[in-house]
Amino acid sequence: MFLIGFRGAGKSSIAKELAGQLGWTWIDLDTVLEAKYGRSIRAIFEQEGEQGFRDKERELLEQVAVRDAHVFATGGGIVLDPVNRDRMREAGWVVWITADTATLWQRLQSDPATGERRPPLTVGGRAEIEALLRIREPLYQQCADIVVDTVNRLPAEIASTIREKLSELNKRVEG
Ligand code: S3P
């Protein structure tokens, strides 16, 4: 199962919680990528540009997507590549984790990982979130089997909602 959505949506905390509830393994693709290349995402962006990072991200997804009983927390830009979108849709359920711009901005500002790990993508700040969401929302939408809002909700609640929605979907598919 793949959790997609913008930076700050809560993909990693929800992946961890959901995997715990399901007895599955969870993986944060950005963390695995940093370990694989021994550099922070920020450093990869600085040294090889965004395209260098996107190539590595695509290759990593190809390697891991086939694993069963895994919840993958993906990077916010993974949906930009049509190969990634097809791969996720073929390999498992895709869950779009959402929040409004103000909430995303607030979370990003208070997350210590932002400075160390998240390279600026364009102009930074709220304007960056608004501009990128205009481009990415249709792509998240295109990929997602279900959509789950996270505003004012805890990871445990959100994970339960995802499980309920997926069991409905599974019933429909099997039925
Ligand atoms: C990116 C989001 C980041 C990371 C990279 C690019 C993006 O992941 O993959 O900095 O393009 O939105 P998070 O969504 O986990 O912050």
Side-chain angles (χ1 to χ4, degrees), residues 7 11 30 41 45 53-54 57 75-77 118-119 121 136:
R7 293 166 154 186
K11 291 163 290 183
D30 283 340
I41 306 273
F45 262 71
F53 169 77
R54 297 291 172 211
E57 185 179 47
R118 293 190 173 107
L121 296 171
R136 292 181 182 183

